[in-house]
């Protein structure tokens, strides 16, 4: 199995960037989109530096759209690469991004050509040898039938008012001001995958956390009592059943819940992962910080098997 996203760089990073290997299959054969940049006279993958306040997944999606006119949803995380630029060490994080039907349209400024080619041809065209690493991983997943995936996104609600100062019903406890800012950042991050289903605890702090994403993407939002702290304490099996049920639906989904519920949900996911991937799951309290997400990539070939996991914190002030 190839290395995945998030490998540590050997020294301080001067530049962080993100991009995607856009891919498709033609008569069962894998093709990837490679771009030519006239400024550097090189062949590479769509990528670019992060804007202020932007996460890596957001940057990857934005750069693909800006450079080749494709609006993509991110798939499997691919190995990051490191190389030197004038300011120091640069890291580029890549994701796979399946493209169905749409044509790539180079922006004409940063990118003047975009070509769909077989992986072997791409290896001969790439100007930076380190760009071959993400391609090797992409081809590995394709050869094993697990390149097409769909995401389960586990989200802990954003920062809420302290229990110690809250005198009303626990389910009515709201987000603090920084929690609302977190929720907006979470909404932008989730747009990199754009699930059309949201399962959330009906308690106010969870509903407020998913609200910005719901306004942006208009998903179907379902409030589920089993995802509340109180219901989970009484009957944890019902929360477990919620997590098990998303595999049967076979559709991208967000699950928003509370810290005490997370261990039960994580147990369900760990049972459907290899030991290597399960070892990447958080195992100690608080599991996820407020507003943090886990992206669990489920194989479209085997909808009961998670093949990769990412953990991302979109915003914290």
């Amino acid at each position: 199995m190839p290395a995945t996203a998030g490998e540590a760089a050997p020294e301080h990073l001067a530049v962080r960037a993100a991009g995607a290997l856009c891919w498709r299959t033609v008569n069962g054969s894998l093709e990837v989109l490679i771009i030519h940049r006239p400024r550097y006279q090189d062949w590479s993958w769509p990528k670019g530096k992060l804007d202020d306040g932007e996460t890596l997944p957001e940057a990857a999606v934005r750069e693909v759209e800006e450079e080749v006119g494709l609006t993509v949803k991110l798939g499997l995380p691919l190995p990051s690469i490191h190389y030197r630029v004038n300011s120091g060490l640069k890291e580029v994080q890549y994701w796979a991004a399946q493209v169905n039907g749409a044509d790539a349209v180079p922006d004409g400024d940063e990118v003047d050509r975009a070509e769909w080619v077989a992986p072997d041809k791409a290896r001969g065209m790439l100007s930076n040898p380190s760009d071959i690493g993400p391609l090797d991983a992409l081809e590995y997943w394709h050869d094993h039938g697990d390149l097409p995936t769909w995401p389960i996104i586990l989200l802990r609600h954003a920062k809420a008012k302290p229990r110690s100062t809250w005198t009303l019903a626990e389910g009515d406890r709201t987000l603090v001001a920084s929690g609302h800012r977190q929720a907006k950042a979470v909404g932008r991050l989730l747009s990199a995958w754009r699930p059309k289903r949201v399962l959330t605890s009906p308690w106010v702090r969870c509903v407020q956390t998913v609200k910005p994403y719901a306004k942006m993407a208009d998903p179907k939002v379902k409030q589920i009592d089993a995802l509340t702290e109180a219901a989970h304490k009484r009957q944890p099996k019902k929360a477990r059943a919620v997590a098990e049920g998303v595999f049967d639906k076979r559709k991208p989904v967000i699950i928003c819940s509370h810290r005490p519920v997370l261990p039960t949900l994580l147990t369900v996911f760990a049972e459907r992962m290899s030991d290597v991937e399960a070892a990447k799951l958080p195992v100690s309290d608080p599991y996820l910080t407020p507003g943090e997400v886990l992206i669990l990539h489920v194989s479209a070939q085997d909808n009961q098997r998670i093949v990769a996991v990412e953990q991302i914190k979109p915003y914290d002030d």
Side-chain angles (χ1 to χ4, degrees):
M1 183 178 296
T4 53
E7 294 183 346
E11 60 184 82
H12 173 72
L13 295 174
V15 180
R16 300 186 78 202
L21 273 64
C22 299
W23 66 274
R24 68 185 185 185
T25 54
V26 177
N27 297 324
S29 297
L30 180 65
E31 293 185 345
V32 291
L33 185 68
I34 190 170
I35 63 168
H36 183 263
R37 301 183 300 173
R39 178 182 177 185
Y40 301 102
Q41 287 297 306
D42 69 354
W43 287 94
S44 183
W45 311 116
K47 66 178 184 296
K49 292 185 290 187
L50 276 65
D51 287 343
D52 290 341
E54 195 174 41
T55 59
L56 289 164
E58 293 171 74
V61 171
R62 176 183 53 78
E63 287 291 340
V64 171
E65 185 164 15
E66 289 179 356
E67 293 189 344
V68 293
L70 294 172
T71 301
V72 298
K73 300 177 184 180
L74 299 184
L76 287 169
L78 301 173
S80 58
I81 67 170
H82 304 91
Y83 57 94
R84 295 202 166 278
V85 293
N86 290 336
S87 57
L89 191 67
K90 180 175 182 177
E91 178 185 64
V92 186
Q93 177 61 63
Y94 285 110
W95 281 265
Q98 186 173 10
V99 176
N100 293 318
D103 291 327
V105 181
D107 67 359
D109 182 16
E110 293 188 44
V111 178
D112 60 355
R113 293 171 63 187
E115 295 186 14
W116 287 101
V117 298
D120 284 347
K121 184 173 181 180
R123 287 187 182 89
M125 296 173 66
L126 287 166
S127 302
N128 185 344
S130 63
D131 275 337
I132 294 175
L135 177 60
D136 288 343
L138 187 86
E139 194 167 27
Y140 170 91
W141 290 117
H142 172 72
D143 291 345
H144 287 76
D146 288 327
L147 185 52
T149 58
W150 55 272
I152 299 171
I153 301 177
L154 180 60
L155 165 65
R156 181 182 171 189
H157 66 74
K159 290 181 180 178
K161 293 184 177 180
R163 294 177 194 267
S164 60
T165 63
W166 189 254
T167 59
L168 303 178
E170 179 62 18
D172 293 335
R173 187 152 58 97
T174 62
L175 300 183
V176 295
S178 61
H180 284 288
R181 293 192 291 273
Q182 269 187 336
K184 291 180 180 179
V186 167
R188 294 191 298 270
L189 171 65
L190 295 175
S191 295
W193 298 274
R194 295 197 303 280
K196 300 303 290 182
R197 296 176 65 232
V198 177
L199 309 180
T200 183
S201 159
W203 285 8
V204 170
R205 53 192 181 272
C206 281
V207 174
Q208 289 179 330
T209 298
V210 300
K211 185 176 180 180
Y213 177 72
K215 283 187 174 181
M216 283 189 288
D218 193 28
K220 180 180 179 181
V221 179
K222 185 176 182 180
Q223 298 183 14
I224 300 178
D225 286 336
L227 293 174
T228 66
E229 290 186 32
H232 174 263
K233 187 175 182 179
R234 292 192 305 269
Q235 294 181 300
K237 288 183 178 179
K238 289 192 175 182
R240 179 182 175 89
V242 172
E244 291 172 339
V246 300
F247 291 91
D248 297 330
K249 287 285 187 179
R250 302 183 179 187
K251 294 180 180 179
V253 64
I254 299 162
I255 303 174
C256 183
S257 192
H258 309 264
R259 177 184 56 81
V261 186
L262 297 179
T264 296
L265 304 179
L266 290 169
T267 297
V268 174
F269 301 139
E271 293 170 353
R272 289 160 173 80
M273 304 168 70
S274 70
D275 291 343
V276 171
E277 291 301 311
K280 299 176 184 177
L281 294 176
V283 295
S284 59
D285 194 17
Y287 304 99
L288 297 174
T289 59
E292 193 169 16
V293 299
L294 278 179
I295 301 94
L296 304 137
H297 298 270
V298 184
S299 171
Q301 175 181 250
D302 177 359
N303 286 284
Q304 294 292 322
R305 185 162 52 88
I306 297 168
V307 296
V309 60
E310 306 175 74
Q311 187 169 341
I312 301 174
K313 183 184 297 187
Y315 176 87
D316 189 3
D317 67 351

